[in-house]
Short mmCIF file of all heavy atoms in Angstrom, two decimals:
data_model
loop_
_atom_site.label_atom_id
_atom_site.label_comp_id
_atom_site.label_asym_id
_atom_site.label_seq_id
_atom_site.Cartn_x
_atom_site.Cartn_y
_atom_site.Cartn_z
N GLN A 30 -20.81 -25.97 1.81
CA GLN A 30 -20.70 -27.42 1.75
C GLN A 30 -21.54 -28.00 0.62
O GLN A 30 -21.13 -28.91 -0.08
CB GLN A 30 -21.12 -28.03 3.10
CG GLN A 30 -20.18 -27.66 4.24
CD GLN A 30 -18.74 -28.01 3.95
OE1 GLN A 30 -18.41 -29.16 3.68
NE2 GLN A 30 -17.86 -27.01 3.99
N THR A 31 -22.74 -27.49 0.46
CA THR A 31 -23.64 -27.97 -0.60
C THR A 31 -24.34 -26.76 -1.24
O THR A 31 -24.32 -25.66 -0.70
CB THR A 31 -24.71 -28.92 -0.04
OG1 THR A 31 -25.55 -28.21 0.88
CG2 THR A 31 -24.07 -30.11 0.68
N LEU A 32 -24.98 -27.00 -2.38
CA LEU A 32 -25.73 -25.94 -3.04
C LEU A 32 -26.88 -25.48 -2.16
O LEU A 32 -27.19 -24.28 -2.08
CB LEU A 32 -26.27 -26.44 -4.38
CG LEU A 32 -27.07 -25.41 -5.21
CD1 LEU A 32 -26.20 -24.19 -5.53
CD2 LEU A 32 -27.58 -26.06 -6.51
N SER A 33 -27.51 -26.42 -1.45
CA SER A 33 -28.63 -26.08 -0.56
C SER A 33 -28.17 -25.19 0.60
O SER A 33 -28.83 -24.20 0.93
CB SER A 33 -29.25 -27.36 -0.01
OG SER A 33 -30.28 -27.06 0.91
N SER A 34 -27.01 -25.51 1.19
CA SER A 34 -26.52 -24.70 2.30
C SER A 34 -26.12 -23.30 1.82
O SER A 34 -26.28 -22.31 2.56
CB SER A 34 -25.32 -25.38 2.97
OG SER A 34 -24.24 -25.52 2.07
N TYR A 35 -25.62 -23.21 0.60
CA TYR A 35 -25.27 -21.90 0.05
C TYR A 35 -26.51 -21.05 -0.19
O TYR A 35 -26.53 -19.85 0.11
CB TYR A 35 -24.48 -22.07 -1.23
CG TYR A 35 -24.03 -20.74 -1.85
CD1 TYR A 35 -23.22 -19.86 -1.13
CD2 TYR A 35 -24.44 -20.38 -3.12
CE1 TYR A 35 -22.82 -18.65 -1.67
CE2 TYR A 35 -24.06 -19.16 -3.68
CZ TYR A 35 -23.23 -18.30 -2.95
OH TYR A 35 -22.85 -17.10 -3.49
N LYS A 36 -27.58 -21.68 -0.72
CA LYS A 36 -28.84 -20.95 -0.92
C LYS A 36 -29.40 -20.46 0.41
O LYS A 36 -29.90 -19.34 0.51
CB LYS A 36 -29.85 -21.85 -1.64
CG LYS A 36 -29.53 -22.11 -3.11
CD LYS A 36 -30.59 -23.02 -3.74
CE LYS A 36 -30.31 -23.27 -5.21
NZ LYS A 36 -31.32 -24.18 -5.82
N THR A 37 -29.28 -21.29 1.43
CA THR A 37 -29.74 -20.89 2.75
C THR A 37 -28.95 -19.70 3.27
O THR A 37 -29.51 -18.75 3.84
CB THR A 37 -29.61 -22.07 3.74
OG1 THR A 37 -30.38 -23.17 3.27
CG2 THR A 37 -30.09 -21.66 5.13
N ALA A 38 -27.65 -19.74 3.04
CA ALA A 38 -26.80 -18.63 3.47
C ALA A 38 -27.17 -17.33 2.74
O ALA A 38 -27.26 -16.26 3.36
CB ALA A 38 -25.33 -18.98 3.21
N LEU A 39 -27.42 -17.43 1.44
CA LEU A 39 -27.79 -16.23 0.68
C LEU A 39 -29.11 -15.65 1.16
O LEU A 39 -29.28 -14.42 1.19
CB LEU A 39 -27.89 -16.57 -0.82
CG LEU A 39 -26.59 -16.84 -1.57
CD1 LEU A 39 -26.87 -17.19 -3.02
CD2 LEU A 39 -25.65 -15.64 -1.48
N SER A 40 -30.04 -16.50 1.55
CA SER A 40 -31.33 -16.03 2.05
C SER A 40 -31.19 -15.28 3.39
O SER A 40 -32.08 -14.53 3.77
CB SER A 40 -32.31 -17.20 2.22
OG SER A 40 -31.90 -18.06 3.27
N GLN A 41 -30.07 -15.49 4.07
CA GLN A 41 -29.84 -14.83 5.35
C GLN A 41 -28.82 -13.69 5.24
O GLN A 41 -28.23 -13.26 6.23
CB GLN A 41 -29.30 -15.86 6.36
CG GLN A 41 -30.27 -17.00 6.63
CD GLN A 41 -29.66 -18.09 7.51
OE1 GLN A 41 -28.49 -18.02 7.87
NE2 GLN A 41 -30.46 -19.10 7.82
N THR A 42 -28.65 -13.19 4.02
CA THR A 42 -27.64 -12.16 3.79
C THR A 42 -27.85 -10.92 4.66
O THR A 42 -26.90 -10.41 5.28
CB THR A 42 -27.62 -11.75 2.31
OG1 THR A 42 -27.23 -12.87 1.51
CG2 THR A 42 -26.63 -10.61 2.07
N CYS A 43 -29.06 -10.42 4.74
CA CYS A 43 -29.32 -9.19 5.50
C CYS A 43 -29.01 -9.34 6.99
O CYS A 43 -28.27 -8.51 7.55
CB CYS A 43 -30.77 -8.73 5.28
SG CYS A 43 -31.06 -8.08 3.63
#
Side-chain angles (χ1 to χ4, degrees):
Q30 295 305 302
T31 64
L32 181 60
S33 176
S34 62
Y35 181 60
K36 289 180 179 178
T37 301
L39 289 179
S40 68
Q41 299 173 358
T42 296
C43 289

